[in-house]
Amino acid sequence: MKSFWDTLPKPFFVLAPLADVTDPAYRALIAECGKPDVTYTEFVSADGLFHMREKKGIPDEENPLVRDLQYTEGERPILAQFFTSNPETMEYAARYALLHGFDGVDINMGCPDASIEKQGAGAAHIKNPEQACEIIAAAIRGTEGKIPVSVKTRLGYNKIEYQEWLPHLLDSGISALTIHMRTRKEMSKVKAHWELGKEIVSFCRDRNREVFIIGNGDIASVEEGRTLACEQGWDGLMLGRAIFGNPWVFTGRTSEELSISERLTSLLSLAQRFDALRPKKHYAILKKHFKAFVNGFDGAAELRARLMETNNLSELEACLNEFR
Ligand SMILES: Cc1cc2nc3c(=O)[nH]c(=O)nc-3n(C[C@H](O)[C@H](O)[C@H](O)COP(=O)(O)O)c2cc1C
């Protein structure tokens, strides 16, 4: 199917899903500072969405999963990412995404977290390709073919086995495939296998020329991504941890180029947006960002230590105002 994927520049740049980091607060800030070509939500449990809305009847304004799926118009094109091993809840979640204006649905088939794999989801799909294809088919049913379905996965489970694993995905009717260039076993402990980039891109193209192929893993900047695309032929590159402390990363600016004032003003703006999320997120989650935003200048360590002692937005505002 033709979709927004066909309208993107080459190479295009994608904001990775990062649970409890690229929440609606940080996504909205990134969209304002320097929009990626495509945005993914952090992953959301399709089972959880179904049960909270349909079984428990929790109103959307009190549902943390619905909160995590909030977005602003400035983030388009935006994809909702889901995980599950249950085709019924995947179909439900995909329909939710369609009805709530998402531009696409992405399925997580790479998460190594034990709590996700225990459910047969995330990277566990790599061990069960038939089930993976059922989940993709369910997502396509849920979207009624009106918005594209994509998958984000890894090179294999215990070993590099992309020749066996990826064909299942490439033949399944998806529009785009993101490959995190590590195996499940490697977690994030080794360097991403970019030495395999060229052969993987050509393997995917030989199998299915229609699927957009996106590379992911350790890319520190847009410039680095452009070099990879140029040398290896990727359609797009996905950046994850590079956005820590740098909502301008998609403009090509590196963290080193940011002034102290830009760092602190954007942290404050993030904190204000975070505080406005409903239902509220625990303040401790925001603290993940402090180290990334508050470093590399005189007094950063002291300020960071003081920020870590804060318990809410007004304490954080007071702390930052005192410093400036
Ligand atoms: C804190 C954190 C949360 C993550 N959450 C998700 C997620 O919700 N869905 C997903 O597909 N991958 C998730 N990932 C994996 C990233 O999307 C990405 O594949 C990985 O970090 C490698 O890319 P990078 O080196 O550019 O960060 C997460 C990674 C981190 C560090």
Side-chain angles (χ1 to χ4, degrees):
M1 71 183 288
K2 290 274 180 220
S3 67
F4 75 85
W5 290 110
D6 297 275
T7 67
L8 301 174
K10 289 283 181 70
F12 54 81
F13 287 89
V14 183
L15 173 62
L18 297 169
D20 276 338
V21 178
T22 54
D23 57 19
Y26 200 26
R27 278 192 272 110
L29 180 63
I30 292 169
E32 280 182 26
C33 292
K35 207 183 102 39
D37 296 309
V38 185
T39 295
Y40 284 43
T41 67
E42 53 195 317
F43 66 10
V44 166
S45 163
D47 299 4
L49 189 68
F50 175 77
H51 284 289
M52 286 173 115
R53 293 185 88 229
E54 303 302 325
K55 297 285 177 204
K56 291 190 176 168
I58 295 175
D60 281 349
E61 54 281 12
E62 292 169 23
N63 184 337
L65 302 183
V66 169
R67 173 200 62 210
D68 295 344
L69 291 167
Q70 285 170 18
Y71 61 88
T72 53
E73 286 301 308
E75 291 168 61
R76 288 190 188 281
I78 180 156
L79 280 64
Q81 193 193 55
F82 297 110
F83 67 88
T84 182
S85 60
N86 180 341
E88 279 170 40
T89 62
M90 178 51 80
E91 185 173 341
Y92 175 86
R95 182 162 298 115
Y96 176 93
L98 173 70
L99 297 176
H100 289 79
F102 279 93
D103 298 293
V105 168
D106 189 77
I107 307 171
N108 181 303
M109 296 196 173
C111 180
D113 194 284
S115 65
I116 309 295
E117 284 207 72
K118 218 168 51 194
Q119 304 173 41
H125 287 296
I126 304 173
K127 294 189 290 189
N128 193 346
E130 286 72 29
Q131 187 192 57
C133 292
E134 281 174 34
I135 294 294
I136 295 169
I140 294 173
R141 278 197 304 279
T143 59
E144 299 170 20
K146 291 180 179 161
I147 54 173
V149 171
S150 53
V151 166
K152 178 168 178 282
T153 190
R154 290 176 176 250
L155 293 175
Y157 199 83
N158 284 322
K159 60 181 194 326
I160 292 172
E161 52 191 340
Y162 73 87
Q163 288 104 328
E164 292 77 35
W165 166 228
L166 298 187
H168 295 282
L169 304 176
L170 292 162
D171 295 349
S172 67
I174 57 170
S175 298
L177 175 63
T178 303
I179 307 168
H180 178 180
M181 297 290 279
R182 295 184 178 91
T183 65
R184 149 71 179 82
K185 190 175 175 187
E186 289 169 338
M187 308 282 278
S188 287
K189 291 179 193 149
V190 302
K191 275 195 188 161
H193 292 288
W194 290 109
E195 75 281 4
L196 300 176
K198 207 169 175 176
E199 68 176 64
I200 290 178
V201 172
S202 89
F203 178 85
C204 293
R205 294 236 199 288
D206 286 350
R207 187 82 188 190
N208 189 339
R209 295 200 74 77
E210 305 290 308
V211 177
F212 289 85
I213 309 295
I214 303 163
N216 168 243
D218 299 340
I219 304 173
S221 66
V222 163
E223 196 188 343
E224 213 177 293
R226 276 193 204 289
T227 306
L228 283 169
C230 187
E231 290 174 0
Q232 306 186 346
W234 299 94
D235 294 309
L237 287 313
M238 176 182 271
L239 275 65
R241 288 165 298 173
I243 58 92
F244 274 102
N246 182 5
W248 285 274
V249 77
F250 290 101
T251 66
R253 297 183 72 194
T254 61
S255 294
E256 293 72 42
E257 290 166 28
L258 305 181
S259 68
I260 302 176
S261 159
E262 282 174 321
R263 285 164 185 269
L264 300 187
T265 308
S266 55
L267 174 59
L268 178 59
S269 175
L270 172 60
Q272 287 165 339
R273 291 162 202 259
F274 182 91
D275 188 65
L277 294 175
R278 293 293 177 275
K280 260 182 148 358
K281 282 187 91 165
H282 203 289
Y283 182 76
I285 295 169
L286 183 68
K287 293 187 176 181
K288 279 189 182 176
H289 292 277
F290 292 174
K291 188 159 182 224
F293 277 95
V294 185
N295 76 61
F297 55 88
D298 284 347
E302 295 76 13
L303 175 59
R304 216 161 52 225
R306 292 190 46 220
L307 286 171
M308 290 306 280
E309 303 282 303
T310 59
N311 297 303
N312 54 46
L313 176 64
S314 49
E315 289 180 16
L316 176 135
E317 282 171 339
C319 199
L320 288 178
N321 285 337
E322 216 173 282
F323 184 83
R324 288 194 287 182

